[in-house]
Amino acid sequence: MISMFYSNGSSLDNFDLHNHSTASDGLLSPTQLVELGASLGVDGLALTDHDTVDGIGEAADAARRLGLRFIPGVEISVSWGDTTLHIVGLGIDPHHEVLAAGLRGIREGRLGRARRMGDALAALGLEGTFEAALALAGSELRLSRSHFARHLVQVGAVSDTQRAFDRYLGKGKPAFVQHDWARLDEAVGWIRAAGGVAVLAHPGRYGLGPSDRETLLLEFKRLGGEAIEVVTGSHRPEQYATWRRIAVEHGFLASRGADYHGPGESPAEPGQLPLLPSSLEPVWTRWAH
Ligand code: AMP
Ligand code: MN
Ligand code: MN
Ligand code: MN
């Protein structure tokens, strides 16, 4: 069995399973993203836009044209207590009605939240940010903090998007708006209903203490979560070893992805992060044949 996995199920494969496009808060179109992945020698690429599968058809077409292995994905926003989590679904059927309906519900919440963010920024003397972010997003259903951050950079309110989060948009900052996303059980359930694998995205980014972290991992597993991201552009390199160990201890498959958003906004381009440690079982063994 193991040898059958070698060509496309080994930790040496350059799979990149977390990337964004203009269908959510990325800067490249789905086609441009796939072209970039192919040019960088990626063996398999997933598109995982926030709360939408709208870019998948275009990305799949481009991948077919270029002979690149493509994995349809999504990154679902989840509220777990006071913490916002991201759950990536990989290998999903993008047309599955349960998943589509769930994602529609989340996206519809983005508009009201964005208006409140705009109001909070206006109260700080930054007028017109809602309209500007909407223009950058191109749709009310796509509006994200990334679009606000880009606008704040464009008008010179901050020098880069990271500072926009540190000063205004991050949790606990003056323009942060608490929002109810999906529940964890819902997100995992939609992904599994659509035939996908549920992956806890960038687990090192949530700022959870050891006890909450343990609770989350056990709950995620109990609900049917199968993998966690270990090597991701949203972890600092020194976090890879911690999450490698946790993946082994908890018996999770491991994922790897740049969390790429576009030129100048991400620490790594698709497929350029270190490969997964060989002690881990890559999540892509789930599709190896
Ligand atoms: P939203 O879904 O509207 O809450 O936006 C979340 C997105 O904002 C994430 O997917 C990242 O792309 C971006 N983001 C969140 N926190 C930060 C941060 N501290 N620095 C830069 N970008 C961030
Ligand atoms: Mn994002
Ligand atoms: Mn994320
Ligand atoms: Mn992401």
Side-chain angles (χ1 to χ4, degrees):
M1 277 304 276
I2 297 293
S3 62
M4 289 170 64
F5 290 153
Y6 254 81
S7 62
N8 56 2
S10 135
S11 58
L12 297 177
D13 293 327
N14 186 4
F15 274 56
D16 195 303
L17 300 180
H18 191 147
N19 294 283
H20 295 273
S21 77
T22 47
S24 65
D25 63 347
L27 292 168
L28 302 184
S29 70
T31 299
Q32 289 171 321
L33 174 73
V34 168
E35 287 172 350
L36 178 63
S39 76
L40 292 169
V42 171
D43 293 321
L45 184 86
L47 179 65
T48 54
D49 275 309
H50 297 286
D51 309 317
T52 183
V53 294
D54 283 356
I56 285 180
E58 182 186 320
D61 286 347
R64 207 171 299 118
R65 183 165 48 78
L66 294 165
L68 177 69
R69 179 150 189 192
F70 177 69
I71 295 96
V74 66
E75 182 174 19
I76 304 182
S77 310
V78 164
S79 294
W80 189 73
D82 290 342
T83 304
T84 299
L85 304 174
H86 286 171
I87 306 296
V88 162
L90 296 174
I92 49 157
D93 168 7
H95 305 295
H96 197 282
E97 191 41 46
V98 170
L99 176 65
L103 297 179
R104 208 176 300 125
I106 307 182
R107 286 200 304 276
E108 283 167 1
R110 284 191 173 271
L111 177 59
R113 169 189 184 242
R115 285 195 198 285
R116 291 175 60 198
M117 287 168 46
D119 291 346
L121 287 165
L124 297 167
L126 293 159
E127 306 282 346
T129 61
F130 170 80
E131 293 75 10
L134 179 56
L136 290 176
S139 156
E140 294 176 348
L141 303 177
R142 279 202 284 266
L143 260 171
S144 86
R145 287 185 290 165
S146 303
H147 300 108
F148 281 86
R150 286 175 195 146
H151 169 70
L152 293 173
V153 173
Q154 284 176 8
V155 297
V158 287
S159 55
D160 58 52
T161 53
Q162 183 58 55
R163 284 203 170 76
F165 281 88
D166 293 346
R167 205 158 139 196
Y168 297 110
L169 304 169
K171 189 175 179 184
K173 305 300 172 185
F176 180 80
V177 173
Q178 190 66 42
H179 188 70
D180 276 342
W181 303 105
R183 292 195 319 266
L184 183 59
D185 63 300
E186 292 176 322
V188 174
W190 300 335
I191 290 166
R192 289 168 65 82
V197 180
V199 185
L200 180 61
H202 41 65
R205 215 172 83 176
Y206 305 124
L208 298 173
S211 162
D212 285 345
R213 180 169 91 185
E214 196 65 15
T215 304
L216 171 61
L217 292 168
L218 293 175
E219 185 176 336
F220 179 60
K221 183 146 216 184
R222 179 174 55 76
L223 293 170
E226 294 179 68
I228 67 173
E229 289 184 346
V230 173
V231 175
T232 153
S234 290
H235 281 171
R236 297 184 307 279
E238 63 269 24
Q239 291 179 297
Y240 299 164
T242 305
W243 291 96
R244 184 203 68 78
R245 180 177 54 73
I246 292 171
V248 171
E249 282 173 7
H250 282 263
F252 283 115
L253 301 171
S255 191
R256 168 182 183 260
D259 204 356
Y260 183 70
H261 282 76
E265 284 202 11
S266 298
E269 293 190 303
Q272 305 308 294
L273 290 174
L275 296 174
L276 278 183
S278 58
S279 53
L280 293 172
E281 187 171 355
V283 66
W284 51 90
T285 58
R286 288 284 263 95
W287 317 293
H289 42 248

